[in-house]
């Protein structure tokens, strides 16, 4: 369980202060599928970055199970991130001079208990593309490689910032089906930032942000599968 209490984040650029997060209070239960919605600049990425230790809070506490993340040193946070957290971004961040299999291997090498690469390749539907290079793949295929890479180290929680932002509907739904499977079959906690309100139909919990605050938290009584969500 992730517990966020009184979290504030202020960016200082020269004389200018930007309040990116204001008094955030939030609990993310293990095994839930969480969607974060909100207009551009509302603080979604900042929230994800402070939860995952990619950025520091200005004040407040974040705990993950028994670990108080906001008390960890940068070195301890790096180790925690390596052992527990997976990331998927709009940009796939694949290494262009490595094959599909080698890109996934990079994630596996970070872990003491990696998932088998053959199984991951099969899960993301890229077994026959294992020896291809990123430039030989479509955007959707590249995103599936980046998902396999983030899963290969067997993270507890997967953070996704606009994972379908560069993809068309068909490819997006394939990616979302993967995230759904990850959540349902592997019991991973999945947190997805998106501008696409349709994706919120898949969520257990939907968080709406505006101007650095959580303005609404709703729980879906029934979830739709990735295949059945409305698109737009
Ligand atoms: N490194 C930074 N330095 C200064 N200000 C920043 C920094 N990162 C974000 N901000 C500011 O913090 C606010 C929240 O930004 P954030 O990136 O969290 O928004 P977002 O909801 O993810 O937007 P988008 O949907 O466009 O990705 C914005 O006003 C942004 O300009
Ligand atoms: Mg963002």
């Amino acid at each position: 369980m992730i517990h966020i209490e009184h979290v504030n984040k202020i960016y200082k650029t020269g004389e200018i202060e930007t309040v990116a997060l204001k008094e955030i209070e939030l609990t993310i239960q293990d095994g839930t599928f969480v969607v974060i919605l909100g207009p551009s600049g509302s603080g979604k990425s900042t929230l994800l970055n402070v939860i995952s230790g990619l950025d520091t809070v200005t004040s407040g506490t974040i705990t993950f199970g028994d670990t108080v993340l906001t008390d960890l040193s940068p070195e301890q946070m790096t180790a925690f991130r390596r052992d527990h957290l997976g990331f998927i971004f709009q940009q796939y961040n694949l290494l262009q001079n490595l094959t599909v299999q080698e890109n996934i291997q990079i994630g596996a090498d970070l872990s003491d208990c990696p998932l088998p690469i053959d199984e991951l390749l099969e899960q993301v539907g890229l077994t026959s593309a294992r020896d291809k290079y990123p430039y030989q793949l479509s955007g959707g295929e590249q995103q599936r490689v980046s998902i396999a890479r983030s899963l290969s180290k067997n993270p507890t929680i997967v953070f996704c910032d606009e994972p379908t932002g560069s993809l068309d509907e068909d490819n997006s739904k394939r990616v979302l089906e993967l995230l759904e499977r990850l959540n349902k079959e592997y019991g991973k906690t999945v947190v997805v930032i998106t501008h696409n309100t349709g994706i919120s139909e898949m969520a257990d919990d939907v968080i709406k942000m505006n101007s650095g605050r959580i303005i609404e938290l709703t729980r879906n009584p029934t979830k739709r599968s990735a295949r059945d969500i409305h698109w737009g």
Side-chain angles (χ1 to χ4, degrees):
M1 187 171 82
I2 300 173
H3 208 55
I4 301 166
E5 283 178 287
H6 296 301
V7 161
N8 291 280
K9 175 69 183 180
I10 301 169
Y11 287 109
K12 291 199 178 86
T13 322
E15 299 285 285
I16 302 164
E17 287 196 349
T18 307
V19 183
L21 296 176
K22 291 178 199 159
E23 287 298 311
I24 299 290
E25 302 278 338
L26 179 67
T27 298
I28 297 174
Q29 303 286 351
D30 289 341
T32 50
F33 196 114
V34 179
V35 165
I36 303 177
L37 297 170
S40 184
S42 58
K44 304 180 299 295
S45 295
T46 305
L47 178 61
L48 191 141
N49 290 346
V50 299
I51 299 176
S52 57
L54 292 175
D55 204 346
T56 55
V57 299
T58 304
S59 62
T61 55
I62 301 174
T63 53
F64 192 106
D66 296 330
T67 311
V68 184
L69 299 185
T70 36
D71 286 349
L72 298 182
S73 68
E75 295 74 23
Q76 288 170 319
M77 189 65 223
T78 301
F80 181 86
R81 211 166 36 235
R82 186 192 59 216
D83 293 342
H84 297 284
L85 311 182
F87 295 93
I88 296 160
F89 297 101
Q90 181 172 349
Q91 287 80 23
Y92 322 123
N93 301 319
L94 300 178
L95 293 171
Q96 297 299 320
N97 56 342
L98 298 184
T99 64
V100 166
Q101 173 161 340
E102 289 164 347
N103 266 286
I104 299 171
Q105 186 67 44
I106 284 183
D109 288 345
L110 291 172
S111 174
D112 296 334
C113 51
L115 296 175
I117 291 196
D118 288 346
E119 185 186 315
L120 286 163
L121 281 166
E122 183 154 350
Q123 288 284 339
V124 299
L126 289 173
T127 302
S128 61
R130 65 193 308 152
D131 295 321
K132 284 190 175 177
Y133 289 88
Y135 75 89
Q136 297 171 311
L137 303 175
S138 73
E141 289 166 338
Q142 290 186 60
Q143 187 61 303
R144 275 150 43 208
V145 177
S146 88
I147 292 178
R149 179 186 53 191
S150 78
L151 298 185
S152 62
K153 63 174 186 174
N154 204 3
T156 326
I157 172 161
V158 182
F159 293 103
C160 317
D161 196 344
E162 303 272 8
T164 59
S166 304
L167 303 178
D168 61 17
E169 179 172 346
D170 274 355
N171 275 303
S172 293
K173 287 199 170 171
R174 281 199 77 163
V175 162
L176 292 170
E177 280 174 39
L178 267 175
L179 295 177
E180 177 173 59
R181 189 134 33 92
L182 204 66
N183 174 247
K184 275 198 188 140
E185 290 174 24
Y186 292 82
K188 309 283 186 205
T189 308
V190 179
V191 180
V192 180
I193 292 177
T194 179
H195 280 107
N196 187 333
T197 50
I199 296 176
S200 60
E201 296 170 356
M202 293 171 61
D204 295 295
D205 294 324
V206 183
I207 295 164
K208 286 201 182 131
M209 297 192 67
N210 204 345
S211 304
R213 292 184 191 278
I214 293 177
I215 54 164
E216 196 180 308
L217 181 72
T218 46
R219 196 145 290 173
N220 272 339
T222 49
K223 294 199 276 183
R224 277 178 199 267
S225 67
R227 213 179 286 260
D228 298 332
I229 61 173
H230 294 95
W231 199 251

